[in-house]
Amino acid sequence: MAAHNELGTWGEEQAVAFLQRKGYDIIERDWKSGHRDLDIIAANDDMLVFVEVKTRRNRVFGEPEEAIDYRKLQNLRHAINYYVKSRRINREFRLDVITVVGTPEGGSPEITHIEDIPMY
């Protein structure tokens, strides 16, 4: 596995542990529909939460959440829409972003949870 893929997998594991500590139930990880994917699908009380995880070693090239551009947001919207319709979800949902900055060798990463990202 390429180093950037290993970092991304580690970041998703950190995000899952973070959400579980906050009381979220993890429903699915790495859900795919064609070339679109959803990193984490979780539940918090009555809310279904789709979580995009962005992991970076450091902030040299900017904040991790800046990688969510218009095209990425559009792909996330399509994937969420397909998931909700295909599963006949009838509850409120939102999109969150979790950023993880650090490395597996570097000790505790810095984790930021940005809730309720506007999807339109």
Side-chain angles (χ1 to χ4, degrees), residues 13-80:
E13 290 170 5
Q14 298 300 309
V16 164
F18 175 84
L19 288 170
Q20 289 173 326
R21 285 192 301 272
K22 289 181 70 173
Y24 286 68
D25 293 317
I26 306 304
I27 297 170
E28 294 194 51
R29 291 180 62 180
D30 298 318
W31 181 86
K32 292 187 183 356
S33 171
H35 67 280
R36 297 184 177 111
D37 70 318
L38 299 168
D39 293 335
I40 301 169
I41 303 167
N44 185 24
D45 298 324
D46 291 334
M47 181 72 65
L48 187 64
V49 184
F50 298 94
V51 182
E52 176 68 12
V53 180
K54 290 297 175 192
T55 306
R56 299 291 182 266
R57 293 182 187 287
N58 54 49
R59 290 188 169 82
V60 170
F61 297 106
E63 296 299 320
E65 64 271 19
E66 292 172 359
I68 302 174
D69 58 9
Y70 175 79
R71 175 174 273 163
K72 179 63 177 175
L73 191 57
Q74 187 175 24
N75 282 333
L76 287 168
R77 281 194 305 256
H78 287 296
I80 290 168

Side-chain angles (χ1 to χ4, degrees), residues 47-118:
M47 181 72 65
L48 187 64
V49 184
F50 298 94
V51 182
E52 176 68 12
V53 180
K54 290 297 175 192
T55 306
R56 299 291 182 266
R57 293 182 187 287
N58 54 49
R59 290 188 169 82
V60 170
F61 297 106
E63 296 299 320
E65 64 271 19
E66 292 172 359
I68 302 174
D69 58 9
Y70 175 79
R71 175 174 273 163
K72 179 63 177 175
L73 191 57
Q74 187 175 24
N75 282 333
L76 287 168
R77 281 194 305 256
H78 287 296
I80 290 168
N81 187 46
Y82 183 78
Y83 185 91
V84 167
K85 286 182 177 180
S86 67
R87 301 288 170 97
R88 296 186 173 142
I89 304 294
N90 191 20
R91 66 198 280 194
E92 289 193 44
F93 61 89
R94 70 174 194 246
L95 173 62
D96 290 3
V97 173
I98 291 183
T99 64
V100 180
V101 178
T103 62
E105 306 82 28
S108 296
E110 183 180 329
I111 299 174
T112 304
H113 185 184
I114 306 166
E115 295 183 14
D116 205 10
I117 299 296

